[in-house]
Amino acid sequence: MSDRHTDLPLFRWQPPKVEIIPFPCRARVGKIRQAAELVLASPTERASAARWRQMTDGIARQMERAGIPDETIQAELQIFTHAVNAEVIRRSRGQRTYNPEGGEIA
């Protein structure tokens, strides 16, 4: 049996389920360029690997603090890795990318 004080709608309220969606790593152009620059400027493979780990660990920690699931974090880091690799290749070949509508992007 319930009384009028314990059967209030407020006591039955449940917070809504939410999904936290991270900002897509492929759109973090500044971070991608910074990572490519750090990798290319590293004097050794070991230094490059250390800088890479430091950067990706920071990105992962940021997403963990926001409550993003591990599988989403791993997927975003993989996307980020591909984007950085593409930037490193572009820079090392001295190529420039172009907008399909015409005009240089950089």
Side-chain angles (χ1 to χ4, degrees):
M1 186 168 149
S2 65
D3 63 32
R4 66 184 185 104
H5 297 292
T6 60
D7 194 31
L8 297 173
L10 176 62
F11 294 119
R12 292 189 307 266
W13 182 83
Q14 295 282 328
K17 302 282 183 191
V18 296
E19 177 186 357
I20 299 171
I21 301 171
F23 186 78
C25 280
R26 69 179 165 276
R28 297 181 76 174
V29 177
K31 187 66 94 173
I32 291 165
R33 289 179 179 164
Q34 178 187 22
E37 189 172 320
L38 285 174
V39 168
L40 290 171
S42 296
T44 64
E45 281 291 320
R46 187 174 183 184
S48 176
R51 288 178 174 183
W52 178 255
R53 268 192 314 278
Q54 183 180 19
M55 183 166 279
T56 56
D57 287 351
I59 293 169
R61 278 193 307 273
Q62 182 183 36
M63 287 192 268
E64 285 171 1
R65 284 192 305 267
I68 296 169
D70 287 338
E71 56 274 356
T72 303
I73 293 171
Q74 293 308 313
E76 286 297 316
L77 289 176
Q78 188 174 22
I79 291 167
F80 182 73
T81 300
H82 290 301
V84 172
N85 284 334
E87 180 68 12
V88 166
I89 290 168
R90 185 188 71 76
R91 287 177 180 228
S92 65
R93 290 184 180 167
Q95 296 177 344
R96 303 194 60 80
T97 57
Y98 292 90
N99 184 339
E101 277 90 43
E104 200 167 278
I105 294 179

